[in-house]
Amino acid sequence: MLISSHLISPMKEQKEVKEKTKDLEADDVYHSIQGDVKQDSGYFSRFIDSFKPMPSDENDSDMDTGLTDAQRTAIKTARNPMKQKLKSRHLQLITIGGSIGTGLFIGTGSALHTGGPAAVLIAWTLTGTMLYCTIQALGELASTFPRVLGGFNTYTSRFVDPALGFAVSWNYMLQWLVLLPLELVASSMTIKYWNTSVHPDIWVAIFYVFIVVVNLFGVKGYAEVECAFSLLKIIAIVGFIILGIVLCAGGAPNGLNNGAKYYYDPGAFAAGFKGVCSTFITSAFSLAGTEFIGLTATETLNPRKTLPSATKQVFWRILLFYMVSLTIITFLVPSNDPRLLGASSDASVSPFAMAIEAGGISGLPSVINAVILISILGVANTSVYATSRVLLGLSASGHAPKILSFVDRAGRPMAATAVTLVFGLLAFIAASEKEDEVFTWLLSISGMSAIFTWLLICFSHIRFRSALKAQGHNVEDLTFVSQSGVIGSWYGVGVNVLIFVVTFWVALFPIGERANVESFFESYLGFVVFWACYFGYKLWRKDFSFSFVPVETMDIQSGRVDMDVELLKEEIRQEKEFIRSQPFYYRTYKFWC
């Protein structure tokens, strides 16, 4: 039955009144912030003035001194000075294509060579289903607490343990911090595919200036550029899938029609069970960044509508862009092809280019290389956004220098952004003979941070649900409820622990090699760094207790959008009733999107 207009009207009017009131209040704040800036001042004057600090009348002295570390962190990070400029289209495109990069285009080749086609599909299926559950849990938390600085990193401090929150936040920050110089160097290496004679540092400088300029435009500049990059990557992946299906079905110009031959010769598994285990870390690396949606919540316009929709679309990215494209590759590229051993950002070693060449189609590797270059620049752009926001959250919670909490009138965390960009100058060692060694160790420092992050997102969700129940609330009070529920979060915890265990085994005893301390720490140093941060926090705070935040006193209110709960429940009820009244295809679409 369709909902009558007289039911929706009063709610819509109430909502419009509230939004208009908030807009008027926001305008008053804006004009008060402007101070002595004249409204008719020129663009340049307004631009310069935007770098002035955003005034705030809130300080730490207004908090009760008897608060625990977890409660104090919750209150501090809920004070959000950021601008909400991310729209639905921004979030959807960033969610679908934002983290598609060299992990998919290049890294999957080494996984295919090491593990074999069946191992690749097993690893990505387990990691993908785990990530689907993780993002569902994250979507519930981010929709409930959309105004918390630092995003999902602060959930661990609030719902599990401040020491674990400190460790996962610093590790996640390091993960993105090292990616800026790494991706800038990779971009200069990718350009070499076209045999350019330009010095690599010249390309690094060009791309570095591009990243700086984009981030001067704040969250909107980042979002528009990332949307454009994501759209191009999506078009490329969809085009490859269509072409790949044609090639697999026997439509190749050279008549290629191997069927499932490569599953028998050279075989479904290249190195047995250990080969399967070795592909897990590659699958995690290729899917890293999917959780990024939780970091954008603080700057999202109307998070109640946009966050749930973006959360659901993760399923399509995992299914379509990863599982379908990887399945096609396993039918077109043999795991014993020596080119798969290549580790550089080069289209010649991309399994996507190799699959196309197998069908007798030439010329497309240059297109693949262009897509790889776009992917690299997209990750470099995202690294500045992510690092600066995590640093801002760390500073707001008292876990990093206070100067990093500086936010200007345009809502840009300029101090944190400056630190990120200064670190990015390391990219100018692109011409150095030691560049590989330097970046191998930089990357190993935070190499496992994504797995720690996913594990603690799931565990934070479990703890949050426990607190919700202990404090007399239920899921009906939430704006979005995880489709996989607490069971999905326990599954996420289990798979992430499994990845840690198998990675330890393969790192300590590599396939076909003797145990090597250096290679072990290249793969597992991030694990050591995480626990060093954890125990370092314990020493710094002189807190040697190892208990979780009690669910009875857990803060499950700070950072939530102020709204009428009964009005929200009625609005959600009417939305569900409307969806139930629609045809099956519409209901299916709304469930997944």
Side-chain angles (χ1 to χ4, degrees), residues 290-532:
T290 306
E291 75 289 336
F292 190 71
I293 178 180
L295 207 59
T296 62
T298 53
E299 296 171 273
T300 299
L301 194 66
N302 193 8
R304 193 190 86 73
K305 296 284 188 181
T306 54
L307 284 175
S309 178
T311 299
K312 293 177 183 178
Q313 289 174 8
V314 170
F315 169 82
W316 293 108
R317 191 176 82 183
I318 294 171
L319 178 66
L320 182 64
F321 298 144
Y322 286 88
M323 296 310 301
V324 175
S325 61
L326 287 177
T327 301
I328 289 171
I329 284 171
T330 62
F331 282 102
L332 296 174
V333 181
S335 61
N336 60 355
D337 191 311
R339 290 177 295 172
L340 292 174
L341 284 170
S344 64
S345 297
D346 190 338
S348 64
V349 300
S350 169
F352 285 78
M354 293 168 62
I356 295 170
E357 289 177 344
I361 301 173
S362 59
L364 283 182
S366 286
V367 176
I368 296 294
N369 202 63
V371 174
I372 291 171
L373 179 60
I374 289 170
S375 300
I376 290 170
L377 292 177
V379 173
N381 186 37
T382 299
S383 69
V384 178
Y385 179 92
T387 307
S388 60
R389 270 58 180 182
V390 177
L391 279 173
L392 179 64
L394 282 165
S395 179
S397 61
H399 296 162
K402 192 172 183 179
I403 184 63
L404 295 175
S405 62
F406 175 87
V407 177
D408 65 20
R409 294 181 180 180
R412 296 169 297 207
M414 288 307 299
T417 301
V419 169
T420 308
L421 292 172
V422 168
F423 189 85
L425 293 173
L426 276 175
F428 286 97
I429 67 168
S432 168
E433 295 179 357
K434 297 288 185 180
E435 65 166 303
D436 290 340
E437 186 177 341
V438 170
F439 285 113
T440 294
W441 287 105
L442 279 175
L443 200 57
S444 66
I445 290 173
S446 58
M448 306 189 80
S449 67
I451 305 170
F452 275 114
T453 300
W454 297 338
L455 190 155
L456 288 169
I457 286 172
C458 291
F459 195 57
S460 296
H461 178 242
I462 293 167
R463 296 276 300 161
F464 168 69
R465 283 290 191 91
S466 297
L468 206 65
K469 184 178 180 180
Q471 297 182 26
H473 301 282
N474 55 53
V475 294
E476 291 181 358
D477 297 334
L478 305 178
T479 58
F480 172 72
V481 179
S482 167
Q483 293 175 330
S484 57
V486 175
I487 294 175
S489 292
W490 277 117
Y491 173 75
V493 170
V495 173
N496 279 296
V497 170
L498 174 65
I499 293 175
F500 275 125
V501 172
V502 299
T503 303
F504 178 84
W505 180 41
V506 175
L508 190 59
F509 303 104
I511 298 173
E513 300 178 22
R514 297 178 62 184
N516 184 299
V517 175
E518 183 177 344
S519 64
F520 171 76
F521 279 106
E522 283 180 3
S523 300
Y524 225 72
L525 183 60
F527 187 90
V528 178
V529 171
F530 178 89
W531 290 110

Side-chain angles (χ1 to χ4, degrees), residues 86-87 89-90 94 219-229:
L86 285 177
K87 299 178 181 178
R89 66 178 178 86
H90 294 143
I94 291 171
V219 63
K220 196 166 185 181
Y222 158 75
E224 294 297 345
V225 170
E226 194 59 31
C227 277
F229 285 171

